[in-house]
Amino acid sequence: MSAPIMIFLGTAGSGKGTQAQKLSENLDIIHLSTGDLLREARDNKTELGKAAESYIAAGDLVPDALILDLIKESLTDPKIREKGCILDGFPRTIAQAEGLSSLLEALSISLDKVFLFDISLEETIERLGGRRICATCHRIFHIKHNPATAESHPCDGNLKIRVDDTEEKIRYRYTVYQEQTAPLIDYYRSKLVTLDASEAPDKVYETIKGQIMALEE
Ligand code: AMP
């Protein structure tokens, strides 16, 4: 079995990023987050970053063509085939899923599983309201459920609140998800594993890890 290629699908605040970070650190799988790549481009004021900035701030999706260019560059890295990859927050539209499928086919890589992080809007509001992200190492914390400590946050960089983590933006992003991303649930039905993302993060982690191990057997 070759290294696993997986998609993490779910609304903002469903725990995709937190789980992807932990799995990537513990299992040495590449974590590709289009949100992280876009925020980095925005902070570095690259052409892509400038083009994406207003979409990110509004909670709208960045145009498919920009995202597909961005992901193409990352997917062609030979490490993807060697270590496997978690696509976190991509694809988010049917057009992106079709673009991904062509890219993977051209690279002779096959998609193994799509994990759907299932959670209510109310819970995501609670989670995202307390979310803090390190500007340096990009680790994700929560002021109540997962506070940064010397052990969990060795770099001790500045913790920031994302511009799109206000309640109004969270609600708006949820509707964007329902309209543009939720159709992917049917699109990926044959590879879908639905997770109860309201469960404790450690439990969700063990479920995903078990699925990955089963793939590698
Ligand atoms: P995230 O960190 O995944 O919540 O993404 C934050 C923001 O980045 C989104 O609200 C979008 O503006 C943009 N973004 C991230 N990934 C994508 C994608 N696959 N397609 C379009 N926009 C994206």
Side-chain angles (χ1 to χ4, degrees), residues 103 147 179:
L103 279 174
E179 283 167 15

Side-chain angles (χ1 to χ4, degrees), residues 155-203:
C155 96
D156 202 28
N158 267 345
L159 294 181
K160 289 194 164 172
I161 301 176
R162 275 174 44 171
V163 287
D164 51 353
D165 273 353
T166 62
E167 181 169 339
E168 187 199 352
K169 296 273 170 62
I170 295 164
R171 287 185 183 279
Y172 179 67
R173 282 153 70 205
Y174 191 83
T175 54
V176 169
Y177 174 87
Q178 296 301 343
E179 283 167 15
Q180 302 192 56
T181 308
L184 294 180
I185 297 171
D186 258 348
Y187 184 90
Y188 285 124
R189 188 63 69 189
S190 65
K191 296 190 190 284
L192 203 73
V193 177
T194 303
L195 304 163
D196 179 356
S198 65
E199 285 186 327
D202 285 351
K203 195 161 176 212

Side-chain angles (χ1 to χ4, degrees), residues 11-13 16 33-36 38-39 52-64 67 70 88-93 96 131 162 164-165 173 176:
T11 54
K16 305 184 301 292
S33 155
T34 41
D36 281 350
L38 289 168
R39 279 184 292 277
E53 186 165 15
S54 62
Y55 295 98
I56 299 172
D60 280 315
L61 294 186
V62 172
D64 292 330
I67 297 289
L70 177 72
D88 163 15
F90 171 86
R92 260 173 151 106
T93 62
Q96 289 181 19
R131 174 158 77 174
R162 275 174 44 171
D164 51 353
D165 273 353
R173 282 153 70 205
V176 169

Side-chain angles (χ1 to χ4, degrees), residues 81-177:
R81 190 188 298 273
E82 187 193 317
K83 299 186 172 205
C85 169
I86 297 169
L87 293 165
D88 163 15
F90 171 86
R92 260 173 151 106
T93 62
I94 295 281
Q96 289 181 19
E98 287 170 347
L100 172 66
S101 156
S102 312
L103 279 174
L104 291 178
E105 202 180 316
L107 294 163
S108 303
I109 296 177
S110 61
L111 176 67
D112 293 298
K113 286 247 178 275
V114 178
F115 290 95
L116 172 65
F117 287 63
D118 192 23
I119 196 163
S120 70
L121 170 62
E122 285 62 38
E123 193 145 353
T124 66
I125 291 173
E126 203 276 322
R127 284 189 180 186
L128 295 180
R131 174 158 77 174
R132 300 291 182 271
I133 316 256
C134 174
T136 310
C137 69
H138 304 301
R139 279 202 171 83
I140 305 166
F141 300 98
H142 189 281
I143 46 172
K144 210 156 79 194
H145 309 307
N146 179 25
T149 61
E151 198 189 342
S152 66
H153 190 211
C155 96
D156 202 28
N158 267 345
L159 294 181
K160 289 194 164 172
I161 301 176
R162 275 174 44 171
V163 287
D164 51 353
D165 273 353
T166 62
E167 181 169 339
E168 187 199 352
K169 296 273 170 62
I170 295 164
R171 287 185 183 279
Y172 179 67
R173 282 153 70 205
Y174 191 83
T175 54
V176 169
Y177 174 87

